[in-house]
C-alpha cells in the first residue's frame, strides 16, 4: 500500500519537500470550494506536488443534491484541470445535504463521471 495525502486550504501551507521525504507517493487536492470557486490553495499545491515529483489527483467535496448541479460541478472541475497533469478525479459525496438521496445520488455520481470522462 502506498502513502498518500488529502490536501485542502485547511491544511495551511504545505512543505512539499518534507512531504516527499516522508514517503508520500500521491496527493489528492481539493479543487473547488463550496462557493464553486477554485480552492484557495489548489494552484500552489498542484504546482508544488509536481515540482517534488508527487503525482496529483483532485477531489470535489460535493454539495450537489441534483443531477444538473453535479454536471455543472464536473464541468467546472474539467475547466480548472484542463491542460494539467491529473491522475484521477474524485467526487466526494459525504455531506449531510446528500443523506437520503438514494438512487438520485447514484444518478448524480454517474452523470458527474460521464462529464469527467
Amino acid at each position: 500500500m502506498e502513502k498518500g495525502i488529502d490536501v485542502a486550504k485547511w491544511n495551511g501551507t504545505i512543505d512539499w519537500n518534507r512531504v516527499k521525504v516522508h514517503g508520500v507517493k500521491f496527493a489528492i487536492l481539493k479543487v473547488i470550494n463550496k462557493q464553486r470557486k477554485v480552492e484557495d490553495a489548489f494552484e500552489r499545491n498542484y504546482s508544488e506536488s509536481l515540482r517534488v515529483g508527487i503525482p496529483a489527483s483532485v477531489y470535489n467535496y460535493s454539495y450537489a443534491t441534483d443531477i444538473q448541479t453535479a454536471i455543472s460541478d464536473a464541468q467546472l472541475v474539467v475547466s480548472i484541470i484542463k491542460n494539467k497533469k491529473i491522475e484521477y478525479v474524485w467526487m466526494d459525496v459525504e455531506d449531510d445535504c446528500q443523506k437520503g438521496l438514494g438512487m438520485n445520488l447514484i444518478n448524480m455520481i454517474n452523470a458527474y463521471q460521464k462529464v469527467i470522462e
Side-chain angles (χ1 to χ4, degrees):
M1 182 177 292
E2 292 187 332
K3 186 190 293 187
I5 58 172
D6 164 356
V7 179
K9 73 177 182 180
W10 310 111
N11 300 109
T13 301
I14 306 297
D15 180 343
W16 286 95
N17 293 316
R18 187 172 177 208
V19 168
K20 178 75 171 183
V21 167
H22 281 85
V24 171
K25 301 294 184 196
F26 65 92
I28 305 173
L29 313 174
K30 186 172 183 183
V31 65
I32 60 175
N33 62 24
K34 190 173 187 175
Q35 291 74 37
R36 302 186 71 244
K37 306 282 186 206
V38 177
E39 172 76 352
D40 291 341
F42 173 70
E43 293 294 342
R44 180 187 186 282
N45 286 327
Y46 171 75
S47 62
E48 286 294 294
S49 68
L50 292 187
R51 179 184 64 77
V52 299
I54 297 175
S57 293
V58 297
Y59 75 93
N60 168 24
Y61 185 98
S62 177
Y63 297 93
T65 56
D66 59 73
I67 291 173
Q68 188 52 50
T69 303
I71 290 170
S72 178
D73 287 352
Q75 290 168 334
L76 177 58
V77 169
V78 167
S79 73
I80 294 167
I81 66 172
K82 184 178 179 180
N83 300 321
K84 287 183 169 40
K85 186 176 179 182
I86 299 295
E87 298 285 316
Y88 301 100
V89 176
W90 304 90
M91 181 186 191
D92 185 350
V93 290
E94 62 178 291
D95 197 74
D96 285 344
C97 70
Q98 296 163 330
K99 288 183 179 175
L101 293 179
M103 279 304 295
N104 191 42
L105 182 60
I106 293 169
N107 293 334
M108 288 167 36
I109 293 167
N110 289 334
Y112 188 97
Q113 178 182 1
K114 284 181 185 175
V115 173
I116 297 300
E117 289 176 342

